[in-house]
Amino acid sequence: DAGVIQSPRHEVTEMGQEVTLRCKPISGHNSLFWYRQTMMRGLELLIYFNNNVPIDDSGMPEDRFSAKMPNASFSTLKIQPSEPRDSAVYFCASSSRLGARSEAFFGQGTRLTVV
Amino acid sequence: TQLLEQSPQFLSIQEGENLTVYCNSSSVFSSLQWYRQEPGEGPVLLVTVVTGGEVKKLKRLTFQFGDARKDSSLHITAAQPGDTGLYLCAGAGRGSTLGRLYFGRGTQLTVWP
């Protein structure tokens, strides 16, 4: 099992540019989560999907952020336009179920730097 | 506002010492999970505790869930350099927040040889 696969691993972009982060969850997992990690705020949940449907997007910071899950094996997180304060490590995680005993499997993350 | 508070934020100890890190909240969770994260990697699940008062052991690591299901502790016996990492606790939501994991900011542990 290849685990959760994220791309790219690193992204450096200029302020105002569009950034697209990609995630392939573990096959068979029906829940997918996007997190952002910074030193100041720790790990924050941005949005999560269940069976490709967005369930809770209350953590998305503002309209510049959008996420899609067109099928069970692919999701994207887009930032347009990007700003320096968006610099962080973005993680995608997947889970086989929701509930008390659900385990989240994380990808290696995308380190985003907006200059 | 952080739902889960972890302490201490940083811990630097010598190999062989014992340590305890704490995870506290005023909220009740359906379960409490502990993850460990190494540099350049995503968090990896260590354990899930579900029942109030539950104690789980994983080799030299002992995890406890508070009776009221609001807090947890992680105790490491005879720490080793390989235990170095960021330890994160996460509370699993209930009811309308089912599916959400609320993470603390973590305890950065460094074990020196």
Side-chain angles (χ1 to χ4, degrees):
Chain A
D1 191 341
V4 176
I5 300 173
Q6 291 186 246
S7 65
R9 289 294 310 276
H10 302 272
E11 177 81 33
V12 180
T13 190
E14 291 185 345
M15 181 175 63
Q17 295 297 305
E18 177 179 296
V19 175
T20 299
L21 311 181
R22 297 172 175 80
C23 175
K24 176 177 167 54
I26 293 173
S27 177
H29 282 189
N30 55 13
S31 297
L32 183 140
F33 307 81
W34 281 102
Y35 287 89
R36 178 171 68 177
Q37 187 175 39
T38 62
M39 285 291 293
M40 288 295 294
R41 300 171 71 90
L43 260 175
E44 301 174 279
L45 178 65
L46 301 177
I47 185 172
Y48 76 95
F49 297 83
N50 194 41
N51 294 323
N52 310 340
V53 176
I55 301 300
D56 184 349
D57 65 354
S58 60
M60 296 286 262
E62 46 196 275
D63 292 344
R64 298 184 297 106
F65 286 69
S66 62
K68 293 183 179 179
M69 192 165 186
N71 56 62
S73 59
F74 184 66
S75 178
T76 59
L77 178 68
K78 186 177 294 186
I79 308 173
Q80 166 62 20
S82 58
E83 297 182 2
R85 60 190 167 124
D86 301 330
S87 297
V89 181
Y90 290 80
F91 286 102
C92 175
S94 70
S95 177
S96 60
R97 56 179 173 173
L98 297 178
R101 296 188 184 277
S102 63
E103 174 181 355
F105 291 82
F106 284 79
Q108 290 185 300
T110 295
R111 181 174 294 276
L112 173 65
T113 304
V114 184
V115 298
Chain B
T1 303
Q2 203 74 17
L3 209 57
L4 283 163
E5 296 291 339
Q6 290 191 244
S7 61
Q9 188 176 355
F10 298 96
L11 191 54
S12 182
I13 61 172
Q14 290 293 128
E15 182 175 4
E17 293 184 22
N18 302 332
L19 66 111
T20 303
V21 298
Y22 300 92
C23 175
N24 295 297
S25 176
S26 57
S27 299
V28 177
F29 298 100
S30 61
S31 71
L32 209 297
Q33 300 181 352
W34 284 91
Y35 290 77
R36 189 175 87 181
Q37 184 178 17
E38 298 187 20
E41 303 291 332
V44 176
L45 181 69
L46 296 174
V47 78
T48 300
V49 283
V50 179
T51 306
E54 183 176 0
V55 176
K56 277 193 174 177
K57 291 192 174 183
L58 191 67
K59 297 183 181 177
R60 295 175 294 100
L61 279 60
T62 301
F63 304 85
Q64 183 159 8
F65 201 11
D67 291 341
R69 302 199 346 255
K70 294 181 179 180
D71 51 75
S72 182
S73 63
L74 159 59
H75 182 79
I76 301 179
T77 304
Q80 299 177 0
D83 295 327
T84 293
L86 179 67
Y87 288 81
L88 296 158
C89 67
R94 312 179 298 160
S96 62
T97 61
L98 184 69
R100 291 199 65 152
L101 277 178
Y102 298 88
F103 279 87
R105 285 205 185 95
T107 292
Q108 180 62 53
L109 172 66
T110 303
V111 183
W112 300 98

